[in-house]
Each structure stands twice: as structure tokens, then as C-alpha cells.
Amino acid sequence: MAKTQKWEPFVILIVRDDHGSQDALDGEPNCLVLKLRQMLILLDCGLGQEQLYAMPVREGGLTEELKEASLSAQSSNATSTTASTSTNIHKRKHDQTETNDIRQDWATFLKSSVSQVPQKKKARGSDTIAQEGSEAAGSQSTRSTREYMFRLPDFSGVDLKSIDVVLISNYNHILALPYLTEFTEFQGRVFATEPTIEFGRQLMTEFSTFFGSGVSSAPHEAIDRKKLVAQSGSGLYPAYTHGDIKACIDKIQPVRFREHIALYGSLKLTAHSAGYCLGGSNWLIQIGTENIAFISSSSTQINLHPDLFDGTLLEHASTVIAADLRPSGSLTYDTGVNEVCASIARTVARKGHVLVPCTISGFLFDLMEDIHLHLTRMGLEQQVQYSFVSPVADTALQYSNILAEWMAPRKQEMVYLPEAPLLHGILLEKGTAKNYKSVHGAFSNDLKYPCIAFGGHPSLRSGPMVNLLHMWGKKDANSIIFIEPRIDVPASLEPFEGLKISRSICPLDIRLSVDQLVEVMKKHKHPKHILVPIHVTASTSTDGTIELADSKGTTSTSSTQWSAYKVGEPIQLGMGSLYETVLLSEELAKGIFPQSFGSKSFAPVAGSLSIYNNQMQLEPASVAGRQILALHSQRQLRGAMNLQNLLAGLATIGAMDPVITESGMNEGEDVDDTSQAPEIRVEFKLEGKLTCIIIREDETIVKCDDSIRPLLRESVLKCFQCL
């Protein structure tokens, strides 16, 4: 190990600029940038969903308002009118003067994008932007763009070209990745587990289908989407295309749990099971002798299908960064499941339909088992039809049942049985459950009463749930149940005022709370520093500093420091390694000859230290280097002082009749009653000056005049072994 300077890594928290509000943190995934020496590591890359609530509802691809606006776009003054109309649909009830309001930027983009669309109509392509207009008349006039636009995480303080590594924890934190890999100059590497990659691809596909230009039936114009966004100056991006998704997924390197990834010489990455979903992971980041644990969405629930939470990454972690914790005061998972099952049973008993806006992944697979078991106990299982409606429903349901190695031990054991590990596989085989890409066609033909429909998008701004809500929302016998914990239910339902459908809000949140995080830390070695989001639990002291609440057990101690981080503010972790691992070159190693000193062997090593790509190596020094080393070299002494050898050496230099005094070494003397350790004092005169040599178990002290010291040097050195 070589002693080096103390490196100071820090964390930059990237804020999602949806409404400029701190409250967005409570349910929104974070992006964190970790700087270690010259390396930048991006932890997760999710897309904030809060901005969707400010956008109009899209039914079957387009809103009625947008269709009307497109028809009027042919007139010369339609541009400003359409933009004004579309941006004032379903206004939120909060302050409309907010400068960062997504709708104002969206309107700016719509106005500026009209002039950027080329006049000539070209063939449909994968990287095109949607144009809505009247197809019946066959008009070739200019059509204005009508897409959902999204604000990305605020990377203004980060040079995206300098990001070396992106670590994705689960599918909830991957939606913004195509923007990073395909719309910017990012050139780093991306790592995620195999299930995270596949479920992330499905979520991206669903997102692109619901909010991208691909859902429009109007002709596309072959224009450069990225150039169009840059020219508009709005800071918003359209939904990426399926081509962008494929290119992004191809850049992700799959990893397995506990697989060690070595990068840039000194960086090591390891994914550990988070217990949150199939393939959901926490990351151990090792550099030098320092270990940093990134705890993202995690769960210690033992009755779910994912592999159990792996806390071994905390045993050697000096710093823990916790993100995506469950807000305080939220329902426990078990309580929420009971409420969902009871609400569904009541609706089914009165022959009503049930809408459950959600993604076809995660805890839904466990919820299906609870719902079916509850309905069976109530004698209602024969009356119900389960429907999964999503463009990726078929893929998600089938893929989840072939991931036994990523499941909990009790689910892994079911691999050897003929039945599928997850219940929905059995229900699909029996025909009790069916999946559909949309609510049109087969779904309408197969529909029977009552029906429990699962599908997206949970925001109710696009997707099959919008159509079903209009179909079933007029009867109070039907019900809609919100189970996604990150959804703002009042904002989701705001465009649907006046519907009679019964509403239940039962967020099922299996993420760790701060109390559970404290309990997890108690089971493992306490790290030096633990960081948690400020919205989870914090109080402001009289001097304005942030303190974590004592009731949560997060009070800093002499051994562990708890801190709350805030978006947009860099934090010094206050950590760093004093020692680094150094490789010896083969040529230098051949010239090393260890000497034995008791049970240990030592050898002096001197050379020229070279650093390349964060890898340190000691090589033979040049001629000039050897001369410099010779000037600063010191003999390293090993062994214990031998009294007889010392006396013989003193006699050769004329030190006669030395007085020898031993303290704490006689049988009758109580060593514990003395303040000094056992020692031997050798006192004599040399050239008329009094000299004293004190011999102890672990040290030898020479007290003499400076003019006498050169005479004693060789006599003393002969009593030791030198390296």
C-alpha cells in the first residue's frame, strides 16, 4: 500500500425542474452525480412524471382539442390561437405565474416549431416528428407539431461528456436514459442488471407509445427532431422514438448480482439485490480503500417475489447514500393490500368494473396473488375477468415468469414444478386472465362483467385507462383504484371531474422508510457517513442548518454522521483514502529479496511511481532517479537490542566500565506499581562526556552530546538487522 494525498469526493444532487418545487422530491426519482477523483458517476437516470399533470389528455392518440386545433392550423392566424388553446387546457389550481411552468415552455415550443417544419411531405421514418392535419382534403399545407414535451433533469452543472459511468438501480429510474445517450454527447458506459434492462425497455416502449408521435395517425414529416428542439430554445424534448430506445438499450452492459466490474484501474462496481423488484439493485462502489454504498429503491418485505434484500454491501461501506425512500406517514404495504382487495371485492360483488392504472411490472405480480386469493375466499373468483391492457403487457407477463434466478428462494423452488412461479402465468393459461395491446378489437369482444383491468398510464394523460375511464366512469357501480405510490391522484383526476365512478386511493409502497433504514444499519457495521433525502425526515435548527429528527434514530454520533442532502447542492462527503494499492512492475519485483525477521519478512522497495488511467505502478528508477533516492534513503532497522553486543561495541570505542541499571525486571519488583515500562539503562563516559543508552522492549533511546553521536553510530547499528 502506498500513502497518497487525501482525495475529496462529493455528491451533486440533480433537481427535476418540473415546477421548481421542492415537493416534487416526495415522489419523484432523483439523479445523483458522484465525483470520485477525476471520475463522474451518474446514479440513476429517471424522468420526472410530475410534469405530465400539466399536459392535456390524449385519447386514442390525440385529444379532441388538438384535433380541432390541427384543423384550424391551415389558416394564417392559427398558430398563435392553437398554442394558446392547447396550453390552457385543464389548468392546474396552483399559481399560474410560476416562471418554470411546463405549459408555458410547451407553448413556446409549439409556436417556434411550426416555422421549422418543412413544406415538402416525405416518407414516414422512425426518427420523425408527428404532424396533425386534415388528411381527408389531401392538403399539403404546413402542419404544426403536436407532441408531448418533457423537461429533463437539470444537468446544467455537469459536463455530460465527462460522465464516465451510469449505474441504473431499477426500471423506475431509467426513462431519461435515451435522452442522455441519444440526444447528448455522452460517451460513458452504462450498467444495469438483465431484468432492469428488459423491464426498462418495456417501460420506454410504453412511454413512447403513449406520449410519442408514433400514436398519431397523421403523416409524419422527416425532420431532425434534435435540431428542432435546439432551435426552439424551450429546453423541452419530445418523447424519444423506438429507434432511440433500441440504440440506448444496446449501450447498456448487463451485470449479475455480486458480479465484480473493474474499470479504469482503481474503480470496482458490484450490484447487490435490493429486494424491490426483479433485478432491482443497490450498488457498491469501491475505489482504493474506500467503499460507497448506493441504496436506491429497496425493500425488506420477505413475502414478495423478488430476491431478498442483500445487506452485505453495507458491511464494509464507509459511506452510504440513500435515495428513493418512502415518505413518512405513508401506508404500510400490508395495510394497502388489504384495502385494495376489499375495494375490488365490493365492486365485483355489485357487478361493477375495476380500473387499476399501473405499470405491468413490480409489486403488481404479488398483488395479483393477493387479489385472487381474497376473491376466492369471498366466492367471487368465477365471476371476474382479469385484463392486462398495455402495448407491452404480453412481453412483461411472459418475461417475468422466466426469471426464477432473480426471485426469492421460495419462488426459485417452484421452478421444478409444472406451474409458473407467478400466479398470473397460471391464470393466463386457464383463460381467467388475458392481455391486450389496446382496448380496441379483441378486448371489446372478450369483455364480460365484471372486469378488473390493469394498465397504464397511471397519470391518466394517455393510454387505455383514459378510454376505459370515459366508458366506465359514468356509473358509480364501477371503481378506479390508484395503487402507484408516485402518482398525484388529485392531479390525475382533475380533467375527469363529474364522473360518478367510485374512487379509492391505496398507494402500495414497499420502499424502505427512514425508520427501516435505521434498522438495516443496526444489523450491519455502522458506516462513517449516511446521507438521506431532506424530504424524508429533517428539521431546521435555529441557526438555519438542517438536522435529522432524533425520533428517527438518525442522530449523528462520534462514529456515524447522518446528513440530509438537498437537490442542486453539492455535498462534500468528508472521506478519502490515505493509502492506495500500487502494482510492482515485473522488472522491479525481480530485484526484491525479502529478509526474515522472526515470523515476518521485509524488503526495501524504491522506484519511480507512474500513474496512468487511475492505475499506479512502481517501476525501476532511472539513473537520475536512483541518485535522488540515494540522497534520501534511510536504513530501516529491525530486531531487538542485544546488550552483550552493545557492550562489546562500546569497548572498541573506549567506553570503559559502563554502569548498567535494570528497572522493573527483578523478581521482587512489582512492575504494575511503576509508571515506567521495564528498561535497561547503560551509562558511561565517552571523551569525558556523560552518555546514556536506554533499552526498552520496543525502542532504544540514546542520550548524548551531538559530538559523541557519530562515534556511537556503528556500535549501535551492529546490534540490529538492517534492510
Side-chain angles (χ1 to χ4, degrees):
M1 304 292 286
K3 192 170 184 179
T4 65
Q5 63 175 333
K6 187 172 182 179
W7 305 91
E8 288 292 346
F10 62 89
V11 176
I12 302 176
L13 282 303
I14 307 300
V15 61
R16 304 197 171 282
D17 200 9
D18 293 334
H19 293 281
S21 170
Q22 185 68 26
D23 296 338
L25 265 177
D26 202 20
E28 295 294 307
N30 292 322
C31 286
L32 297 91
V33 177
L34 179 65
K35 182 178 181 181
L36 294 171
R37 304 181 185 174
Q38 297 86 13
M39 290 178 287
L40 285 180
I41 302 175
L42 179 62
L43 305 176
D44 285 334
C45 194
L47 185 68
Q49 303 292 299
E50 172 72 14
Q51 52 191 315
L52 289 172
Y53 306 130
M55 300 179 183
V57 177
R58 169 185 277 168
E59 286 186 72
L62 296 174
T63 63
E64 290 301 321
E65 291 84 358
L66 288 180
K67 290 178 182 178
E68 296 174 2
S70 298
L71 292 174
S72 62
Q74 299 177 30
S75 60
S76 59
N77 61 348
T79 303
S80 59
T81 304
T82 304
S84 175
T85 303
S86 61
T87 56
N88 284 282
I89 300 171
H90 307 309
K91 286 188 177 181
R92 299 293 302 276
K93 296 180 180 179
H94 55 63
D95 186 9
Q96 297 298 314
T97 61
E98 183 67 52
T99 57
N100 289 328
D101 193 326
I102 191 74
R103 283 166 295 183
Q104 296 179 11
D105 291 328
W106 193 35
T108 303
F109 177 86
L110 291 176
K111 292 178 181 179
S112 60
S113 62
V114 172
S115 60
Q116 304 296 333
V117 179
Q119 301 292 327
K120 186 177 180 180
K121 181 178 177 181
K122 299 182 181 180
R124 184 186 301 262
S126 59
D127 290 323
T128 57
I129 196 164
Q131 309 295 316
E132 281 104 29
S134 176
E135 295 182 62
S139 174
Q140 299 297 324
S141 60
T142 302
R143 300 176 177 90
S144 59
T145 60
R146 289 294 176 267
E147 287 196 77
Y148 283 85
M149 307 300 297
F150 297 91
R151 185 185 299 282
L152 307 189
D154 183 10
F155 289 111
S156 58
V158 181
D159 182 5
L160 298 180
K161 293 188 296 184
S162 301
I163 296 180
D164 299 284
V165 180
V166 178
L167 303 179
I168 303 298
S169 58
N170 60 74
Y171 62 85
N172 281 325
H173 305 291
I174 199 174
L175 273 184
L177 188 60
Y179 291 116
L180 178 67
T181 61
E182 307 309 313
F183 285 69
T184 71
E185 297 179 342
F186 168 78
Q187 299 176 350
R189 302 181 65 178
V190 186
F191 296 93
T193 60
E194 295 175 10
T196 296
I197 296 174
E198 177 56 28
F199 283 117
R201 184 190 65 80
Q202 295 170 14
L203 204 63
M204 292 176 190
T205 302
E206 187 179 67
F207 172 80
S208 176
T209 303
F210 289 164
F211 302 107
S213 59
V215 297
S216 174
S217 60
H220 292 200
E221 297 290 351
I223 65 175
D224 190 335
R225 298 161 61 86
K226 302 168 189 177
K227 183 178 180 181
L228 176 60
V229 172
Q231 290 176 340
S232 69
S234 64
L236 301 176
Y237 288 79
Y240 36 74
T241 65
H242 295 285
D244 295 329
I245 296 173
K246 183 182 184 304
C248 173
I249 293 298
D250 290 342
K251 293 181 174 67
I252 306 177
Q253 178 176 331
V255 299
R256 309 184 73 81
F257 287 151
R258 301 202 176 191
E259 177 185 350
H260 300 291
I261 307 295
L263 297 174
Y264 313 121
S266 59
L267 179 64
K268 295 181 181 179
L269 307 171
T270 310
H272 293 257
S273 175
Y276 177 76
C277 62
L278 293 173
S281 58
N282 295 320
W283 289 90
L284 180 63
I285 305 169
Q286 299 172 283
I287 185 164
T289 58
E290 292 292 342
N291 297 333
I292 302 173
F294 174 57
I295 306 297
S296 186
S297 311
S298 301
S299 176
T300 53
Q301 293 272 142
I302 60 175
N303 59 338
L304 303 180
H305 71 281
D307 198 2
L308 301 180
F309 177 84
D310 183 5
T312 57
L313 81 165
L314 300 173
E315 294 178 355
H316 303 290
S318 56
T319 301
V320 174
I321 304 174
D324 202 25
L325 297 177
R326 189 174 76 218
S328 58
S330 57
L331 289 176
T332 63
Y333 176 75
D334 293 333
T335 302
V337 168
N338 292 336
E339 293 186 7
V340 170
C341 293
S343 180
I344 290 178
R346 289 193 298 267
T347 306
V348 172
R350 61 177 181 255
K351 305 296 182 181
H353 294 306
V354 180
L355 286 177
V356 185
C358 62
T359 56
I360 312 298
S361 56
F363 60 82
L364 175 62
F365 302 141
D366 297 293
L367 180 62
M368 275 297 303
E369 297 185 7
D370 296 316
I371 294 173
H372 190 70
L373 178 61
H374 184 75
L375 294 180
T376 300
R377 290 173 178 173
M378 299 289 291
L380 301 172
E381 79 281 2
Q382 299 297 330
Q383 305 178 27
V384 69
Q385 170 188 321
Y386 301 104
S387 298
F388 300 93
V389 190
S390 170
V392 297
D394 182 50
T395 306
L397 295 173
Q398 293 191 36
Y399 181 73
S400 60
N401 257 320
I402 63 173
L403 298 174
E405 60 182 303
W406 302 89
M407 296 183 184
R410 64 182 181 90
K411 291 292 186 181
Q412 292 182 11
E413 297 173 357
M414 299 179 65
V415 175
Y416 305 101
L417 301 177
E419 295 83 6
L422 301 178
L423 178 64
H424 65 260
I426 301 175
L427 297 178
L428 288 170
E429 290 180 1
K430 293 181 178 180
T432 307
K434 296 184 179 180
N435 60 76
Y436 307 92
K437 292 186 178 297
S438 69
V439 294
H440 307 291
F443 176 82
S444 302
N445 298 331
D446 297 342
L447 182 62
K448 71 174 185 178
Y449 290 83
C451 174
I452 305 176
F454 303 90
H457 189 270
S459 67
L460 298 181
R461 289 303 181 269
S462 184
M465 290 296 108
V466 174
N467 301 76
L468 293 179
L469 186 57
H470 281 297
M471 291 169 55
W472 300 345
K474 299 176 182 179
K475 295 182 179 181
D476 55 6
N478 302 325
S479 65
I480 180 170
I481 303 176
F482 293 89
I483 62 173
E484 292 283 353
R486 294 182 174 88
I487 292 300
D488 184 347
V489 176
S492 298
L493 289 173
E494 188 174 331
F496 304 96
E497 296 180 358
L499 296 180
K500 298 180 180 180
I501 190 170
S502 176
R503 307 169 187 183
S504 297
I505 303 175
C506 308
L508 303 182
D509 204 341
I510 62 175
R511 294 175 294 175
L512 289 177
S513 65
V514 69
D515 300 305
Q516 291 174 323
L517 179 65
V518 172
E519 294 301 319
V520 168
M521 294 301 170
K522 290 180 180 179
K523 295 179 182 178
H524 304 278
K525 181 180 177 181
H526 285 282
K528 298 177 183 177
H529 200 175
I530 304 173
L531 293 95
V532 297
I534 193 173
H535 75 273
V536 176
T537 169
S539 59
T540 305
S541 60
T542 54
D543 60 356
T545 58
I546 301 298
E547 296 179 351
L548 294 177
D550 293 347
S551 60
K552 301 294 182 179
T554 54
T555 303
S556 296
T557 63
S558 57
S559 59
T560 303
Q561 177 185 354
W562 286 79
S563 302
Y565 61 77
K566 190 176 182 180
V567 294
E569 295 184 359
I571 296 180
Q572 290 284 91
L573 294 183
M575 54 166 280
S577 176
L578 291 174
Y579 293 90
E580 290 295 333
T581 301
V582 177
L583 298 178
L584 296 179
S585 68
E586 182 179 357
E587 184 179 357
L588 183 62
K590 290 179 179 179
I592 298 176
F593 303 98
Q595 302 179 34
S596 177
F597 296 92
S599 60
K600 298 181 179 180
S601 297
F602 298 89
V605 179
S608 177
L609 183 66
S610 64
I611 303 177
Y612 177 74
N613 204 12
N614 286 316
Q615 180 66 63
M616 298 183 182
Q617 180 168 299
L618 201 60
E619 302 172 344
S622 61
V623 175
R626 287 196 295 269
Q627 294 175 350
I628 297 175
L629 290 173
L631 293 175
H632 298 279
S633 64
Q634 297 180 353
R635 281 186 286 185
Q636 303 293 322
L637 304 181
R638 291 291 184 272
M641 171 68 78
N642 186 291
L643 180 59
Q644 297 303 322
N645 292 342
L646 176 63
L647 295 178
L650 294 177
T652 59
I653 61 175
M656 307 303 294
D657 302 324
V659 179
I660 302 174
T661 305
E662 298 183 6
S663 62
M665 304 184 69
N666 297 328
E667 294 182 0
E669 189 173 353
D670 189 358
V671 178
D672 293 337
D673 293 338
T674 63
S675 59
Q676 296 180 346
E679 64 181 27
I680 300 176
R681 299 175 66 91
V682 181
E683 298 177 309
F684 55 92
K685 284 189 176 182
L686 190 61
E687 294 186 353
K689 297 180 180 180
L690 183 62
T691 303
C692 177
I693 298 178
I694 304 174
I695 303 173
R696 295 175 182 169
E697 182 179 2
D698 56 353
E699 64 178 348
T700 299
I701 303 174
V702 178
K703 296 182 178 180
C704 66
D705 189 85
D706 290 341
S707 61
I708 302 299
R709 190 171 295 275
L711 299 176
L712 294 173
R713 180 180 178 86
E714 292 302 323
S715 299
V716 173
L717 292 179
K718 289 180 180 179
C719 299
F720 298 94
Q721 290 179 288
C722 298
L723 288 178

